[in-house]
Structures are given as C-alpha cells and as structure tokens.
Amino acid sequence: MRHLQIIIILLLITGLAGCVQSRKDETKDSNQPNILLILVDDLGYSDLGCFGSEINTPHIDELADQGVKIADFYVSSLCAPSRAMLLTGVDNHQNGLGSMPPGHTANQYLKPGYEGSLNNRVVSIPEVLHENGYHTYMAGKWHLGHHKESYPSNSGFEKSFAFLGGGSGHFSNAFALGPGEQPVTFYVREQDILEKLPDDFYSTKNFSDEMIKYITEQEDNSPFFGYLAYTAPHDPLQVPDEYLDHYKGIYDQGYEVIKKERLARMKSIGIVDGSVPYNPGTGKFSQWEDLDDAGKQSQARKMEIYAAMIENLDFHIGRVIDVLKETGKYENTLIIFLSDNGSNPKEAVFYPGSSIDFLAENYDNSLENLGKSNSFVSQGGSWAEVSNTPFTYFKTTTGEGGIHAPLIIAGPGVEIGNFQTVTGMHVCDIFPTVIDLAGTSRPDTHKGSELAPLYGVSAKEFLAGNEVLVRNTTMDPLHFEMLECKAVIKGKWKAMMLQPPYANEPVWQLYDLSTDPLEKLDLASQEPEKLNELSEEWDRYASEVGYIKAEGDMLILNIGPEEFYKYESPRN
Ligand SMILES: [Ca+2]
C-alpha cells in the first residue's frame, strides 16, 4: 500500500515536472512578438506625411500603410508625464509625475505621486517583459529620474544609452535647455555617466545606431522590447549640415498657406472631416503679414530646420526597420510610433534660468547659423499652431492641440487598417496593450510594493478587429491635469481649464467636440448642467488619483536647480 502511494506520488511529481517542462517549451515556441516602441518628442498632429504634412516621412508612412493610424489618440500636455504613463499605464498623479520637474510648487514637492520620477507603485513595460523572457533595450530620452536608482538600467532595461533630462543640444556639445536644467543634462550607458559624447554625435543618428547594435548583437532567439525615444524634433532646432537646406523656400509663404494646405490634405486622406473649418489659431502669436522681411526670413528658416529634423528622423527610423528586415525579425515585430505631446509654442527663453541676454551670450542665432550646433531656436507659437492642424492650442495646455498626438501601430496582432476613431485612445492604453500582445500579465505587486491601479485599457481586441472601440468615453471618461491645465472628455463633451496667457482666467470652459473640434464656441453658460456634471467628474478623478493643487511659485525659483534636484529616488 505504502509502495503504491509512493508510486502515485512519483507519478504525480513526474507528471507535474512534465507540465512545467511543456509550459516552458510553449513559452519558447509561442512566437512572442518583438516590440519596438518609437517615441518622438513634441511632434505635432499634422507633421507626418501620412497625417497630411508636406514633410517627407516615407518610412513612417509605409509603417502606417501596413498598420493602423489612430486619429483620436490622447497624451499628456508635457513630456515626462506622457512617458511615465506610456511605460506604466498608470495615471501621472499616481506614477510619480503629478508635476513635471522642475514645475513643482513647494506644497507638491516630493509628495506621493509627485516624486518627479517613477515611484514604487508602478511596474514598467520593460520590467514586466524582462521578467517574462524578453531582452529589453533603450536608446533615447528617459526624463523619468536622474538618480541612479531611477536610471533605465534600474528600471527594467538590460541595455541602455539614455539622455536623462528633458532636452539638450542635439550635437556632441549637448548643452542644457537652460541653467535650470543643468543638473539633469547628461547621458548614461547602463550605470555609467558618459563624460563625453563622440565628436560626430547627432542625437537621432546615435540613438538609432545604439538600437541597431542591440538588435544585431543579440545572440539568442528570445524576443526583444526596444524603446527608441528620440529627442527630435524637440528644440533646439538643429540638424546635420546635409539636411539644412532640404526644405529651402517651402515655408516662404507663411503660416496660413501651409496650414490650409495641410487641412486640405488631411480632409482628402480622411483624417479630418470635410466640415472642419480653417483654424486661424489663438491669435496669441505673430501673424505673417505683420512681420518685416527679416522676420519672415527667420521664421521660414526655423520651420525649414524643424521639417528637416523630422525628415532626418524618418530616415533613421527607416534604418532601424531595414535592420529588422535584414535580420528576419520584421514580420514578428510589433512597431508602435507616437509623439509624446503636441507641438511646442515656447521660445528658447522659456526654460528656467534662461533669458534673452543668456541666449545672446551663449549662442549664435544669426540667420546663416541657425540649425548648427551652437544655435538655439525653437519652433515658436505660430508654427506650432500649424503643426497641430486642425486643432487649437499646443504643448503645455490641455487644448486639443496639446494633448492630441499621432499614433501608428503595425505588426503582429494588428488586423485592422486605415484610420480608426476609437473615441479617445489614451497613452496609458499602450502598457496593457503591449503586455497583452506579448502574452504576459501585470503582477499585483512589484518588488514588495502594492501597485496603483491601471488607468489604461488594452486595445488588443480592438486591434484584432474584434471590438469597435478601445473605450467608450461616455461611460469611461478621459481626464487630464498638468501645471493646473485641466480637462475631462466624456462622450462628445469636453470641459477644459486653461491658465493665462491662454485663458483670461482659469475657469472651466465647455465644448461639444462633435460639432466643434477646434474648441471655438464655449458653451459653459449655455449648458451649465453639463458643465457641472463634467467638472464634478474631474473633481472625483482628482480626489481618486491624489491630485495636489499647485500653490505659489515654482520651488526651483526660490531654492535654485542644485538644491531642487538633490532629492532621492522614490525607488531607493
Ligand atoms: Ca515632448
């Protein structure tokens, strides 16, 4: 009898071992897709050829032809909160980017959800995938913490070549955006700070080179997750010499002509409804006819360089895609392309610690030198409004132009084609979608900490053509807040609060996006009950995610950048 029991136990053990073995084999043979997540910085809604631009982006357009373009994709109005939500699926007030450094006021500084880098209530895409057998690579801008514990190499990436700050010169001199950003303006390779960049460094080229190296040097057949987070076309507007004149003369006719041409193309492609009118913009920036000849020349030149940066981006993305094809990995690689926020209206003088005198002393912004390594100009408000066609507003605001971004998804699992309107797909949706398509799942805890709830929902079934919507915002509204600009989108309704100078005073406005996607007719006084419903919905959200209202000035203005950035990692 005892022998029989032992035999049964042995059989059970060997049986179980067999199960474990076959599950392992299943994983190995399951053909999990490689995932290449391509993020670009401050690229506007209409800046890609496949979204109606005059800028040449043939490789990105080809990707869009093979996959799906999402027409109503929402992001945060600023870089780091979008990136934190992209990589974690958790609302920015819960993942550590409640404010974007150095935007914190004293009462927000280091509070839960406002730590300034990914906190310990989230798990990132690379952490989940690495723990499930993926190789994980990153090249590009991190912007999610500058302390060692927050480096990409301590956040799930096996290999990483990363810029830690929000932006810098694109060439080897890699200067800070302003004195206030100096402490976070540096590059790391895994754990090591790089003292010097190669002399021929250009951000877009070198980030691509690094990703290509990671992909080609991989020795086994495990799937990989690659995060390619370009800093182009973020300011300073700079591009290698051979690209400087690619768009010579294209912008000489000014803002209105280009904006009208883009709108017409967007309508013919079908991304914008034929009824959408020409958008004159906010009226907050220069009008072409008010500029003198020198003003027109310098404005046109800035846009030539901006366009060239995007064409250069496309060229290098094409190189990475070619490598996937050459190595036989392309067919099994899911590629996701997006921008982190709308186009940027701010001039270079905007960055903390900068001034007109500081710029004059440190850069040569003469017309013939624009775009070179010692120049620092930005796209500016008038061109940013063109880039965000057909929408109003831009980066830093929760207007449609600030929180709308192009999104393209192609590869295994993507069965639908052409433009898709999904009533508000959100940047937080990328995390659950990727985790799902990789055949993995999000754990309940990570490194001993309870995780904050996901804000995002998976688009897997939508991409497979099994569901019509990613989410129904009438039942599941979208919420936004960054630097006290707020919004909530519920079905066709959007309530929004902007700050001066883009609103006379910070009060709730109300728009019907179905008839007024340009946010021109404020219905707040006509529809008080609807406005009340939406503002209460925002209040409910704010309380749920732990929003802390900004009070007073930015702390960095009082204590200086060195002191401000001294804080420790919340993952320490
Ligand atoms: Ca950005």
Side-chain angles (χ1 to χ4, degrees), residues 76 92 99 123 125 176 182 302 321 331 402 478 490 514 549:
S76 171
N92 62 291
S99 182
V123 61
I125 294 175
Q182 195 63 53
K302 289 201 305 181
I321 291 173
E331 294 300 324
L478 294 176
K490 187 176 184 187
S514 70
K549 184 176 168 55

Side-chain angles (χ1 to χ4, degrees), residues 292-354:
D292 60 17
D293 284 352
K296 285 177 181 167
Q297 267 186 330
S298 88
Q299 283 291 310
R301 187 60 175 153
K302 289 201 305 181
M303 193 60 188
E304 289 173 11
I305 299 163
Y306 178 80
M309 285 178 89
I310 293 171
E311 185 177 295
N312 176 272
L313 248 179
D314 180 82
F315 170 77
H316 288 289
I317 288 171
R319 288 176 55 224
V320 179
I321 291 173
D322 283 349
V323 164
L324 292 174
K325 289 177 178 169
E326 286 157 17
T327 54
K329 292 178 187 287
Y330 181 73
E331 294 300 324
N332 194 35
T333 301
L334 179 76
I335 303 180
I336 301 173
F337 174 100
L338 71 153
S339 179
D340 65 341
N341 48 252
S343 218
N344 173 27
K346 301 289 188 185
E347 302 289 350
V349 72
F350 159 76
Y351 294 105
S354 193

Side-chain angles (χ1 to χ4, degrees), residues 280-295:
T282 57
K284 300 280 183 190
F285 307 106
S286 67
Q287 302 294 309
W288 196 255
E289 59 273 18
D290 296 337
L291 298 170
D292 60 17
D293 284 352

Side-chain angles (χ1 to χ4, degrees), residues 101 104 109-110 114-117 145-147 184 562-570:
H104 295 70
Y109 190 58
L110 306 185
Y114 286 71
E115 293 92 339
S117 55
H146 60 284
H147 6 51
V184 293
E562 292 299 333
E563 196 60 32
F564 179 88
Y565 283 109
K566 257 185 194 164
Y567 58 82
E568 288 193 355
S569 167

